[in-house]
Amino acid sequence: MSHEHELVLVVDFGAQYAQLIARRIREARIYSEIIPHTTPVAEIIARRPKAIVLSGGPQSVYAAGAPQVDPALFDTGVPTFGMCYGFQAMAQALGGDVRRTGLSEFGRTPVHVAENAGALLGDMPPNFRAWMSHGDAVYAAPPGFLCLANSDGSPVAAFEDLARGLAGVQWHPEVGHSEFGQVVLEKFLVDIAGCRQDWTPANIVDDSVAAIRAAVGDAQVLCALSGGVDSAVAAALVQKAIGDQLTCVFVDHGLLRKDEAERVERDFVAVTGVDLVVRKEADRFLGALDGVSDPETKRKIIGREFIRTFEDAARALNAEKDIEYLVQGTLYPDVVESGGGEGAANIKSHHNVGGLPDDLQFTLIEPLRTLFKDEVRAVGTELGLPDDMVWRHPFPGPGLAIRIIGAVTRERLDLLREVDAIARAELTEAGLDRDIWQFPVVLLAEVRSVGVQGDGRSYGHPVVLRPVTSEDAMTADWGRLPYDLLERISTRITNECREVNRVVLDITSKPPGTIEWE
Ligand code: XMP
């Protein structure tokens, strides 16, 4: 993909924010990738970046073992922008003066813009606030640089050398707390580095389609659909590229939410025209889960049965069609976090997929490998997938089985499906789907409490509402849903689902609680 689009490389010095920087650059509609700071200059240049951004990092530039910038990078003629550590590393490498300040600056910090604020800050107001996090400061800019701003703790808080296309800021323009952060970033990328802003969902689709066609040729491809956003978008993209060379398999394990299987079987097929094989295996999964209430055992059983079912379907299809590729919905953050280097390749050439046996070895095709989640959604919309599919909340592979505390039975699943459908419908009706990361509803199937429903005493089950907000599911907070919404959900559940006589709200963050109860 990157060969079609201009590429900005983010050199990662161990920043908390490297992925955020890459996302901000892409929000400016310019394609960017993250590379480790150990990447040799020759390798960087070979990728022909239009610009380079040096990220922040946790160390002092002059500390022993601190990651260094090879000064040769600044002789390549590629416009380069430093942020925080990257700014100091640039200053140090080019002969500026970097020292420990008496005054560390952490958090929102006033920045004072110089009289002559150059191309980078020329349009800024004289004072604004930027997010800083540093104990060292640049005392003197390197020769040839113009100092553009200062703060109390940073004699030189921004500089540029337009003749060489070099610039930098002491603060973190990528974080939301920095005023004009995106403006400053785009000033560099567009005005100084001359990047084109054409990384759009339509172009992403066109490029991916071309790359998939070129890689796959006339081979046969298989994709497992889960009902989730990633596999749906990956399949739709591959379908657009190679049409009926793609076959999708959907394993309905009977643990999905209300209407989800139908959504895949009917709506997804209607929108994409994809060739879909559905395996309805509720009996198999429920049989294997019979009497099991331990969470990890449930997971193991479901994982095992899933692989067996998928293998079975894949083997049958393989006999018929000789399948060469398997689509996987890997996203860019996974590639970066596994140290996976270049995101640009659509095809990974190793064969060892998710524990499949030897006679079922496919080459992986990962059409979302370069994309962040928000870009996957934008691509899904571009491909015409419906909003409820594109904006679907994450849902665990083991499904409702891990939201029933106790053994999984058909009756309990049916009950939880109804309860869950009410909660989700009300959340959607309130327009809050996109504010809430996930909204599990948990059935405490082995707890009963006394209630009064109608004129009689009841002895039913409680359900737990677990709305959470999150960025990435690693940490989460409980979602502050409005009381009137909670009231509507509670009333509807107890009215419409007679086995439930109590609705409780989980107000635990993660940590210490996990998002799911099991
Ligand atoms: P926890 O409960 O650990 O969940 O806070 C974090 C995220 O992962 C999802 N989750 C799972 N997804 N298989 C999955 O595919 C699982 O066994 C599983 N357990 C939890 C959970 O829904 C949340 O988004």
Side-chain angles (χ1 to χ4, degrees):
M1 257 182 238
S2 56
H3 58 276
E4 313 257 353
H5 279 283
E6 289 178 348
L7 167 67
V8 174
L9 288 175
V10 177
V11 180
D12 181 6
F13 287 103
Q16 249 173 309
Y17 299 120
Q19 289 196 28
L20 194 53
I21 297 170
R23 280 174 62 178
R24 293 285 181 251
I25 296 170
R26 293 185 188 196
E27 279 167 23
R29 301 186 306 285
I30 302 165
Y31 181 65
S32 69
E33 282 184 25
I34 301 164
I35 55 171
H37 67 84
T38 48
T39 313
V41 170
E43 228 173 84
I44 294 179
I45 294 316
R47 301 213 46 207
R48 301 204 289 123
K50 183 75 180 170
I52 295 169
V53 173
L54 309 177
S55 83
Q59 285 173 289
S60 279
V61 283
Y62 48 75
Q68 296 299 317
V69 183
D70 181 347
L73 186 66
F74 303 112
D75 297 329
T76 58
V78 181
T80 300
F81 187 64
M83 299 176 177
C84 193
Y85 186 90
F87 168 72
Q88 295 177 2
M90 183 186 292
Q92 164 115 336
L94 295 175
D97 179 17
V98 183
R99 276 184 273 144
R100 175 143 300 263
T101 55
L103 182 68
S104 297
E105 290 174 307
F106 294 104
R108 258 194 208 93
T109 306
V111 172
H112 316 293
V113 176
E115 197 76 12
N116 178 0
L120 191 68
L121 302 184
D123 294 342
M124 292 298 121
N127 297 287
F128 62 92
R129 283 149 84 83
W131 189 260
M132 300 237 193
S133 178
H134 66 111
D136 298 334
V138 177
Y139 276 75
F145 279 76
L146 181 65
C147 172
L148 312 177
N150 66 68
S151 68
D152 289 353
S154 309
V156 179
F159 57 40
E160 70 185 22
D161 177 354
L162 292 183
R164 288 190 281 175
L166 304 177
V169 294
Q170 177 59 65
W171 61 91
H172 287 276
E174 74 277 21
V175 308
H177 310 290
S178 283
E179 290 180 313
F180 309 107
Q182 192 69 9
V183 177
V184 171
L185 196 57
E186 291 192 25
K187 280 275 169 201
F188 169 75
L189 294 168
V190 180
D191 295 355
I192 297 178
C195 294
R196 283 196 312 268
Q197 295 174 284
D198 57 4
W199 171 254
T200 60
N203 287 337
I204 299 173
V205 170
D206 287 349
D207 287 2
S208 302
V209 162
I212 295 165
R213 276 191 193 139
V216 168
D218 53 12
Q220 293 288 324
V221 180
L222 183 65
C223 178
L225 285 178
S226 68
V229 188
D230 302 343
S231 67
V233 174
L237 206 45
V238 175
Q239 165 72 16
K240 189 176 165 84
I242 56 163
D244 58 13
Q245 286 162 251
L246 173 70
T247 309
C248 289
V249 172
F250 172 55
V251 177
D252 179 357
H253 53 20
L255 308 169
L256 291 170
R257 292 179 291 185
K258 193 174 177 180
D259 299 331
E260 281 198 307
E262 293 72 21
R263 190 173 299 163
V264 176
E265 288 171 46
R266 199 186 49 214
D267 303 353
F268 186 73
V269 171
V271 174
T272 58
V274 87
D275 184 3
L276 178 69
V277 174
V278 179
R279 300 286 295 245
K280 291 208 174 286
E281 301 285 352
D283 289 343
R284 173 182 191 147
F285 282 83
L286 287 181
L289 285 168
D290 187 32
V292 175
S293 44
D294 175 64
E296 285 313 302
T297 311
K298 285 181 186 172
R299 273 199 178 73
K300 282 204 190 86
I301 291 171
I302 295 164
R304 183 191 72 209
E305 294 304 320
F306 184 87
I307 275 285
R308 283 186 185 162
T309 311
F310 182 72
E311 260 172 49
D312 214 40
R315 203 170 268 123
L317 283 166
N318 201 28
E320 201 183 305
K321 303 186 170 184
D322 192 14
I323 291 163
E324 208 170 308
Y325 293 98
L326 180 68
V327 179
Q328 237 173 29
T330 316
L331 303 193
Y332 191 52
D334 301 326
V335 174
V336 175
E337 270 147 36
S338 61
E342 235 173 271
N346 262 294
I347 306 284
K348 245 180 30 183
S349 57
H350 76 79
H351 298 241
N352 208 343
V353 185
L356 290 178
D358 286 346
D359 68 322
L360 276 180
Q361 294 288 283
F362 306 115
T363 300
L364 278 186
I365 172 162
E366 302 181 302
L368 311 180
R369 205 177 148 72
T370 57
L371 304 182
F372 288 107
K373 191 85 175 186
D374 40 358
E375 295 171 320
V376 170
R377 293 206 160 104
V379 165
T381 301
E382 179 69 30
L383 290 167
L385 300 183
D387 269 4
D388 62 353
M389 202 170 271
V390 166
W391 288 96
R392 183 182 184 271
H393 287 172
F395 185 66
L400 298 180
I402 58 166
R403 294 181 181 172
I404 292 173
I405 311 305
V408 180
T409 66
R410 207 173 286 274
E411 294 67 37
R412 288 171 175 181
L413 281 167
D414 287 342
L415 174 59
L416 181 52
R417 259 192 278 274
E418 289 307 316
V419 173
D420 176 75
I422 292 170
R424 277 195 300 144
E426 290 296 333
L427 186 74
T428 303
E429 182 65 28
L432 293 175
D433 279 342
R434 297 186 195 184
D435 298 302
I436 292 294
W437 169 265
Q438 238 177 312
F439 189 9
V441 180
V442 182
L443 174 63
L444 305 185
E446 282 164 16
V447 176
R448 285 178 182 277
S449 76
V450 175
V452 50
Q453 272 165 307
D455 285 330
R457 176 185 185 278
S458 68
Y459 194 46
H461 298 292
V463 294
V464 181
L465 307 179
R466 175 71 169 136
V468 294
T469 55
S470 180
E471 294 279 335
D472 54 7
M474 299 297 288
T475 61
D477 198 3
W478 57 282
R480 271 60 167 175
L481 296 186
Y483 280 169
D484 54 350
L485 169 61
L486 291 169
E487 181 192 328
R488 272 197 303 281
I489 293 173
S490 166
T491 306
R492 274 197 61 193
I493 290 174
T494 47
N495 282 348
E496 296 173 33
C497 308
R498 299 308 295 230
E499 301 90 332
V500 175
N501 65 351
R502 217 171 271 276
V503 177
V504 306
L505 179 65
D506 184 343
I507 52 168
T508 321
S509 60
K510 172 184 178 176
T514 49
I515 294 175
E516 305 290 348
W517 268 46
E518 291 203 330

